[in-house]
Amino acid sequence: MSALSKLTIAEARDRLRAGEVSAVELTEACLAEIDGARALNAFVHDTPEIARAQAEAADARIAAGDAPAMCGIPVGIKDLFCTQGVPSQAGSKILEGFRPEYESTVTRQLFEAGAVMLGKLNMDEFAMGSSNETSTYGNAVSPWRRGNDATPLTPGGSSGGSAAAVAADLCLAATGTDTGGSIRQPAAFVGITGLKPTYGRCSRWGIVAFASSLDQAGPMTKSVRDAAIMLQAMAGHDPKDSTSADLLLPDFEAALTGDVRGKKIGIPREYRMDGMPEEIETLWARGAEMLRDAGAEIVDISLPHTKYALPAYYVIAPAEASSNLARYDGVRYGRRARLAQGDGVTEMYEKTRAEGFGHEVQRRVMIGTYVLSAGFYDAYYNRARRVRALIKRDFERAFADGVEAILTPATPSAAFGLGEITDADPVQMYLNDVFTVTVNLAGLPGISVPAGIDAQGLPLGLQLIGRPWDEADLLNTAYALEGAAGFVSKPAKWW
């Protein structure tokens, strides 16, 4: 049974349609794997009853010949997505007990396509983190280890539970969200594929907001083909989200020809950072060589404002977070602090937010409130917005010059140990986003593809950045890179 959970979406779809396996069998295999993997702390709210009911309905659809590609596929849902009647806490104590009376658009579309929800997945609190160490549920743990070293490693963040669950074959795929790299960085850390679509490609309605101009949902899967299949079900126009694009969806899977002959792939010189590990530099060069061997033209490009991306991001994102998180006050839903006699509404707000928000969220809310304050709005926030416009213009110029995709490292290192980068120096943690934040600031699609192993046996990923709304072409380039890299490594089971 456990072998069923190792299937890709594409393999499972074909076997389901051929009648070789049922959605119920597939679901039971995944539920058994989840029960045996509590040490990873990936699933934080189990929904076996919902999963079994959805699996039975999927089998009926398949038997009737009405089976979309995701029908019967067991998936995990990041805790940031509101799921009707199921705890949706965004990894935060302040949303303790919150069970939405509505379904996020992305999860609704997945369920309408026949996907099966196994449960909710761990994440950094309100998606603020790069290591899944800020969650109210405790740390998510990577299924990977450094050789024989038993040090628990981070699965990345904020979608750490999603990354760990997919890499450990607890589910066939998972939803993630990406505000500054929270799909691509964890995907790279655990050796899976993570796709951040163009801003507006997937609806944000019903997804707990971190930074509204940066957040975007996307698939975390075992292969590029699976990412294409899952994106097809997740994407599309939603009138409930004013930032959702009303564009026809191409057939993402049909675009996977693997033919990149004549495509111009850019290598941005500004991504060669001081102190970059030699293994990352070597992998990047090898990735460019793979694409060249496949017939692509590799060209050097300049994205001159890259060096300002991280500071601009860490002004804009906290500013938007401080505004979005003002709604959590203990009045309407979620946790409310115990009040002393004589406490008024001000004390209720203060105590609830002090108890409910973790240290990293408090830090970012305070930074955001500071940069939005009257004396500093122009000096910080408006200046960061201008830098963002310049970063976007850099990409536009590269694409206008004929570049069709841009190849970069996905992360500055392989996965690090839990607790190795402590909150004593949060900037060190923020530097993990150095290769990914530009994509969010510019609203572009980006994908992380597993491409190699470091000296300690840990996965390394390469990132491809695409033109806006051209996920089909980006996925095809990633498909070619995936085929050339031939990454097949899996973590040795220790949990």
Side-chain angles (χ1 to χ4, degrees):
M1 284 283 280
S2 63
L4 293 178
S5 71
K6 293 179 168 61
L7 295 174
T8 65
I9 293 174
E11 290 167 346
R13 173 193 60 188
D14 295 345
R15 292 185 63 176
L16 285 164
R17 288 179 175 175
E20 296 173 9
V21 67
S22 70
V24 168
E25 289 171 329
L26 203 53
T27 298
E28 291 295 345
C30 290
L31 292 173
E33 289 297 309
I34 292 166
D35 281 340
R38 298 300 174 188
L40 300 180
N41 198 27
F43 277 87
V44 291
H45 297 295
D46 295 341
T47 57
E49 298 84 4
I50 292 173
R52 291 182 176 114
Q54 288 176 332
E56 289 174 6
D59 279 333
R61 285 180 75 176
I62 293 165
D66 171 30
M70 287 296 295
C71 192
I73 304 298
V75 300
I77 304 297
K78 186 177 179 178
D79 195 40
L80 206 64
F81 292 78
C82 289
T83 42
Q84 188 172 4
V86 176
S88 304
Q89 289 184 229
S92 180
K93 187 186 291 186
I94 206 163
L95 278 172
E96 198 171 68
F98 177 54
R99 293 173 182 259
E101 291 301 314
Y102 53 89
E103 195 72 50
S104 79
T105 297
V106 165
T107 51
R108 176 182 57 76
Q109 290 179 181
L110 283 169
F111 301 154
E112 287 176 353
V116 174
M117 179 173 72
L118 298 166
K120 303 298 284 293
L121 292 160
N122 205 347
M123 57 174 284
D124 279 297
E125 184 181 8
F126 284 106
M128 297 183 196
S130 301
S131 62
N132 214 131
E133 293 178 278
T134 68
S135 171
T136 190
Y137 309 118
N139 302 339
V141 181
S142 174
W144 290 84
R145 290 277 171 90
R146 299 176 183 132
N148 296 320
D149 185 347
T151 302
L153 302 179
T154 177
S158 65
S159 306
S162 299
V166 175
D169 295 317
L170 310 186
C171 54
L172 272 62
T175 62
T177 62
D178 194 309
T179 304
S182 289
I183 287 174
R184 291 159 290 150
Q185 182 251 27
F189 275 3
V190 300
I192 64 171
T193 299
L195 172 65
K196 175 227 172 279
T198 310
Y199 180 80
R201 179 63 92 182
C202 295
S203 172
R204 292 185 299 109
W205 195 86
I207 300 173
V208 178
F210 165 13
S212 299
S213 75
L214 301 165
D215 300 342
Q216 186 60 196
M220 302 182 71
T221 60
K222 299 177 186 179
S223 72
V224 172
R225 182 173 296 277
D226 284 5
I229 294 169
M230 190 169 176
L231 178 63
Q232 199 79 45
M234 294 174 66
H237 177 59
D238 179 13
K240 290 184 285 192
D241 176 6
S242 63
T243 64
S244 171
D246 190 2
L247 297 171
L248 285 175
L249 283 182
D251 186 330
F252 296 117
E253 187 181 8
L256 303 181
T257 64
D259 186 358
V260 294
R261 287 173 295 179
K263 289 195 179 298
K264 191 181 284 190
I265 310 294
I267 306 294
R269 61 180 68 103
E270 289 80 10
Y271 280 57
R272 290 188 170 88
M273 306 289 182
D274 290 339
M276 182 190 292
E278 188 177 334
E279 286 174 320
I280 301 289
E281 184 84 49
T282 301
L283 181 75
W284 189 13
R286 198 164 79 241
E289 197 59 40
M290 290 174 194
L291 290 171
R292 184 183 285 112
D293 290 345
E297 180 188 354
I298 306 299
V299 296
D300 284 330
I301 63 169
S302 178
L303 301 171
H305 295 94
T306 295
K307 62 184 176 183
Y308 304 116
L310 212 55
Y313 173 84
Y314 278 102
V315 169
I316 292 169
E320 294 187 14
S322 73
S323 177
N324 278 326
L325 270 59
R327 72 192 70 174
Y328 304 110
D329 51 21
V331 177
R332 291 155 291 186
Y333 47 77
R335 183 186 182 90
R336 179 184 293 188
R338 187 182 298 276
L339 303 179
Q341 189 171 2
D343 281 348
V345 68
T346 301
E347 288 77 16
M348 183 193 68
Y349 286 166
E350 289 174 349
K351 290 182 178 180
T352 295
R353 290 167 68 80
E355 281 183 18
F357 290 146
H359 294 311
E360 182 60 29
V361 173
Q362 290 178 12
R363 178 186 290 121
R364 297 200 197 191
V365 167
M366 287 190 289
I367 291 169
T369 304
Y370 176 81
V371 301
L372 290 176
S373 60
F376 303 100
Y377 188 89
D378 283 331
Y380 292 103
Y381 185 66
N382 269 343
R383 185 172 294 180
R385 287 173 61 202
R386 288 195 292 271
V387 168
R388 180 181 188 172
L390 294 172
I391 289 168
K392 188 169 185 286
R393 193 174 68 188
D394 287 347
F395 283 106
E396 288 169 350
R397 286 176 172 169
F399 294 133
D401 287 341
V403 168
E404 293 169 83
I406 296 167
L407 179 71
T408 79
T411 59
S413 71
F416 47 88
L418 291 166
E420 286 181 1
I421 303 179
T422 66
D423 64 358
D425 185 8
V427 174
Q428 283 299 113
M429 189 68 78
Y430 299 164
L431 289 172
N432 268 279
D433 304 330
V434 67
F435 297 128
T436 51
V437 295
T438 53
V439 178
N440 300 81
L441 289 168
L444 299 172
I447 188 169
S448 175
V449 179
I453 292 285
D454 78 352
Q456 297 176 305
L458 298 180
L460 298 172
L462 287 172
Q463 175 180 233
L464 282 161
I465 303 167
R467 296 169 298 192
W469 314 114
D470 206 358
E471 288 89 355
D473 189 66
L474 176 66
L475 282 160
N476 185 49
T477 306
Y479 185 61
L481 180 62
E482 175 187 58
F487 184 92
V488 293
S489 300
K490 298 289 286 184
K493 189 166 183 178
W494 55 264
W495 57 92

